[in-house]
Amino acid sequence: MSGIISTALELGLINAIAVLALFLSYQMLNICDLSTDGCFTFGASVGAVVALQGHPYLSIPAAMLAGALSGITVSFLQWKMGIDSLLAGIIVNTALYSINIAVMGNASLVNLNKTDTVFTFCKDLLREGFLSSYYRIIVILLFVMLMILFLNWFLKTKLGLAIRATGSNRIMVASSSVDADRMTMIALAVSGSICALSGCLLAQYQKSSSIDIGSGILTIALASLLIGRIFYRHDSPMLVKICCCVLGSFVFRIIYALSLRLNVPAFMLKLISSLIVALAISFPYFYRRYQEKKQMRKEEGTC
Amino acid sequence: MLRIERISKTFDPNSVNAKKALDDLSLIAEDGDFITIIGANGAGKSTLFNAIGGSFFVDSGRIVLEDQDITYVKSNLRAKKIGHLFQDPMASTAPDMSIIENLALAGMNKGMFSRITANDRDYFREKLKELDMDLDKRMDTPVRLLSGGQRQALGLLMATVNKPQLLLLDEHTAALDPGSAEKVMELTCRIVEDNGITCLMITHDMNKAIEYGNKIVMMDQGRIIQTIDKSTQKNITVEDLILSFRNRQGKDLDNDRMLLGI
């Protein structure tokens, strides 16, 4: 039982890193980056291949660099080639499918069973200590904390403010000294690298990477993000907003675990996450409709 | 000093909808000038501002600001020297960011990775106090919770916190309720005068055009048809303006809003 819980916790935390990437691109920059799935897999495959070559630490920066490259490509298609932001994401996502297979050496699966990873490194380090059985969660927590601190710092720098302004009011930015295209490129590069980090960690965690390791991650992360959105207000401090994303990822995992308890088969995960996203996004719309109806009834009553 | 030399702009050229929005227009604003611009709807007032701001490049002519030819300079580079405020109070601030973050974005002249320090907070708090809207006590409030007047006042502060070489005000009080409009106008005058900012202001209210500024420019069909220097014509009235327009253009100033503004 505790094994199931800790696995859920660990997977939830790895997922939370992808949620943080979306927090930057979707919540702050207000762009839905549809290349997220491909970018996640890109990070997983690049990380796996580099680890396979015997460089477990190098796998992390390599994966992040790959993710940044994918983000830059998406913004390049928008900025310099005049392609709509959604379409640019889909195009890159499709292209990444071929690239990922090429990266994994013309295979759709890379096995890391006997390879050193950041996890095995930590395990060796804690060999005798009392924390030795928690080595996985320690590695993951470390990265989650790093990303939380990084985002909290980044979004408050002048560059971060400019990125947030770009997402918050394009009209204002168009007449200001902020270069919206450049901000989009930087933000998508950073969010891409965080997303790829998440993929890289998952691959090393489950000791394999496959071509569909990232399929549906966008919807899952979006669902987590929107659940997390419930827990903070407009005027909450940035750190609270960021932590709520991680919390949202947990709540999503709990919902998922509960549905498994109800004997919902595992392959239903993506249907559940789609439902959550659809409902969460449409909630404000339904709420407005409800308010209008109520208003109409009230006016009918007075006639 | 702003020098506009014979600029023209035609939108949708070579089509049935071709529209000459600016027609061989020239204008000079000396340092410290406060010029009010009036004219009917479609006279090209906002188009002139957008040309100066760089939303598009003009077809011909030159725009020179402080001895620098900015005719083909990108708009976000021009924005470092030109403040631009619009009619819509939502257009000048970022709603999801706090008051201090909006101000810091506009007025913090430090590196990309610098953050808002305690000194910056004190500096911006003093600036906000000058607005006299109690915004200095709510610096961490998201801007979306402010009223239109407060947002426009903040926008004005953001546009002027680093003294711009030119301030463009495009009917910036037209969408506000009368009380807020008066307050924002009063702030505008104070900030412009205190800092000696060169300023162009579009207004549909001819009383305002007469009340504020030192020059009045009248536009029609993409051209400037009259410039009135108030130092030489002190007692000009709204009737004078309407009459003068009729005499020059052979038609009435056909703008309901303009007449109602009287």
Side-chain angles (χ1 to χ4, degrees):
Chain A
M1 188 63 206
S2 75
I4 297 172
I5 290 175
S6 66
T7 307
L9 190 69
E10 286 154 12
L11 285 174
L13 277 170
I14 292 178
N15 211 20
I17 297 178
V19 179
L20 290 176
L22 277 203
F23 177 72
L24 178 59
S25 63
Y26 185 78
Q27 208 84 287
M28 291 292 118
L29 189 64
N30 206 7
I31 281 183
C32 191
D33 183 1
L34 292 183
S35 70
T36 300
D37 286 11
C39 184
F40 188 89
T41 314
F42 197 24
S45 47
V46 168
V49 168
V50 174
L52 207 59
Q53 300 295 321
H55 305 289
Y57 329 111
L58 221 57
S59 68
I60 302 288
M64 291 181 80
L65 198 69
L69 221 79
S70 141
I72 288 172
T73 313
V74 174
S75 66
F76 185 84
L77 292 188
Q78 294 174 42
W79 182 8
K80 297 291 182 192
M81 295 170 74
I83 298 170
D84 171 75
S85 76
L86 293 179
L87 197 54
I90 294 172
I91 291 172
V92 171
N93 196 42
T94 308
L96 279 174
Y97 184 88
S98 308
I99 292 174
N100 282 326
I101 290 193
V103 166
M104 291 190 280
N106 300 342
S108 59
L109 190 81
V110 170
N111 197 321
L112 299 174
N113 262 333
K114 296 195 178 94
T115 314
D116 279 337
T117 64
V118 281
F119 292 99
T120 57
F121 171 72
C122 183
K123 191 181 181 183
D124 292 345
L125 210 68
L126 298 169
R127 205 167 24 217
E128 303 294 320
F130 65 101
L131 287 170
S132 58
S133 55
Y134 299 106
Y135 70 95
R136 285 199 202 91
I137 195 94
I138 288 173
V139 173
I140 299 168
L141 260 179
L142 193 74
F143 279 107
V144 172
M145 303 267 255
L146 267 176
M147 284 304 121
I148 290 176
L149 292 177
F150 167 74
L151 270 184
N152 186 46
W153 167 81
F154 182 69
L155 288 170
K156 286 181 185 168
T157 61
K158 196 166 181 206
L159 178 63
L161 292 180
I163 287 171
R164 286 162 60 198
T166 308
S168 182
N169 191 348
R170 289 247 164 199
I171 302 168
M172 165 208 176
V173 164
S175 68
S176 80
S177 55
V178 175
D179 186 337
D181 294 324
R182 187 156 291 149
M183 291 309 128
T184 305
M185 178 174 266
I186 294 171
L188 286 183
V190 173
S191 120
S193 68
I194 298 176
C195 180
L197 168 68
S198 176
C200 175
L201 285 179
L202 182 61
Q204 302 200 3
Y205 173 82
Q206 63 182 29
K207 296 190 184 114
S208 73
S209 175
S210 69
I211 189 64
D212 49 39
I213 191 172
S215 81
I217 193 75
L218 172 65
T219 325
I220 291 170
L222 213 50
S224 311
L225 187 68
L226 294 170
I227 293 170
R229 180 65 190 83
I230 300 168
F231 300 115
Y232 67 84
R233 296 178 310 171
H234 282 308
D235 55 351
S236 302
M238 187 52 78
L239 190 60
V240 172
K241 290 183 183 177
I242 296 170
C243 290
C244 283
C245 297
V246 179
L247 184 63
S249 184
F250 281 137
V251 176
F252 177 82
R253 278 284 151 186
I254 290 169
I255 295 174
Y256 173 54
L258 283 179
S259 48
L260 286 184
R261 269 288 175 90
L262 295 171
N263 287 332
V264 179
F267 63 80
M268 297 299 269
L269 167 67
K270 274 157 196 164
L271 179 64
I272 295 166
S273 51
S274 299
L275 273 176
I276 293 175
V277 170
L279 288 177
I281 292 182
S282 57
F283 177 74
Y285 172 77
F286 285 130
Y287 186 72
R288 208 167 53 239
R289 284 273 300 267
Y290 168 74
Q291 293 287 348
E292 281 169 4
K293 279 258 171 65
K294 213 164 76 175
Q295 187 70 28
M296 268 160 65
R297 253 182 240 129
K298 210 189 262 171
E299 275 162 20
E300 270 170 17
T302 56
C303 279
Chain B
M1 188 173 94
L2 171 74
R3 211 167 65 236
I4 296 173
E5 292 171 5
R6 310 191 60 171
I7 56 169
S8 293
K9 178 71 187 179
T10 304
F11 290 112
D12 299 323
N14 311 321
S15 85
V16 284
N17 295 321
K19 185 180 185 316
K20 194 152 202 179
L22 294 174
D23 185 4
D24 206 21
L25 183 146
S26 297
L27 174 72
I28 286 180
E30 304 282 354
D31 285 340
D33 262 357
F34 189 151
I35 302 177
T36 54
I37 299 174
I38 55 173
N41 291 337
K45 308 184 294 291
S46 292
T47 311
L48 169 64
F49 274 23
N50 290 336
I52 300 171
S55 310
F56 55 81
F57 293 147
V58 291
D59 299 333
S60 61
R62 284 200 325 147
I63 303 172
V64 181
L65 183 65
E66 307 279 340
D67 296 327
Q68 193 203 343
D69 190 332
I70 57 166
T71 316
Y72 298 107
V73 173
K74 271 175 65 179
S75 68
N76 58 318
L77 296 176
R78 290 189 206 191
K80 293 192 164 84
K81 294 164 185 168
I82 302 175
H84 202 159
L85 218 52
F86 301 88
Q87 180 174 348
D88 181 2
M90 307 301 148
S92 52
T93 45
D96 300 312
M97 288 159 63
S98 67
I99 294 175
I100 178 90
E101 286 171 335
N102 268 281
L103 261 176
L105 182 63
M108 205 165 67
N109 302 314
K110 295 192 284 186
M112 277 297 205
F113 295 108
S114 60
R115 299 172 45 144
I116 304 169
T117 61
N119 278 341
D120 296 326
R121 282 186 79 89
D122 291 341
Y123 173 72
F124 290 127
R125 188 179 292 117
E126 288 309 310
K127 290 279 174 191
L128 283 166
K129 256 186 199 148
E130 289 168 21
L131 295 183
D132 197 20
M133 283 183 164
D134 280 343
L135 294 183
D136 51 302
K137 299 186 184 91
R138 317 169 52 186
M139 290 210 296
D140 294 306
T141 307
V143 167
R144 72 163 65 246
L145 302 177
L146 305 185
S147 70
Q150 287 170 325
R151 281 185 77 162
Q152 201 66 315
L154 179 61
L156 177 68
L157 184 57
M158 286 165 64
T160 53
V161 64
N162 290 326
K163 186 189 167 187
Q165 293 173 353
L166 180 69
L167 179 62
L168 304 173
L169 304 169
D170 191 347
E171 299 203 50
H172 69 305
T173 62
L176 307 178
D177 63 87
S180 308
E182 198 171 317
K183 173 88 196 169
V184 170
M185 201 56 229
E186 181 199 312
L187 283 170
T188 308
C189 284
R190 203 169 70 209
I191 291 174
V192 167
E193 266 172 38
D194 288 356
N195 300 294
I197 297 168
T198 313
C199 176
L200 304 185
M201 179 173 85
I202 296 175
T203 177
H204 63 267
D205 184 340
M206 286 202 262
N207 285 310
K208 257 191 202 142
I210 292 169
E211 188 183 344
Y212 299 104
N214 61 337
K215 281 177 193 161
I216 303 171
V217 161
M218 202 185 275
M219 280 186 72
D220 192 41
Q221 291 175 344
R223 279 188 300 260
I224 289 174
I225 55 172
Q226 193 182 6
T227 307
I228 299 160
D229 193 334
K230 288 209 294 196
S231 58
T232 52
Q233 288 170 277
K234 279 204 175 68
N235 300 316
I236 192 155
T237 63
V238 173
E239 283 72 28
D240 294 338
L241 289 178
I242 294 174
L243 214 72
S244 152
F245 185 89
R246 188 181 299 155
N247 291 341
R248 275 162 200 273
Q249 299 304 100
K251 64 179 182 185
D252 282 324
L253 254 173
D254 56 344
N255 182 343
D256 294 341
R257 279 208 302 151
M258 196 131 75
L259 295 176
L260 289 171
I262 293 168

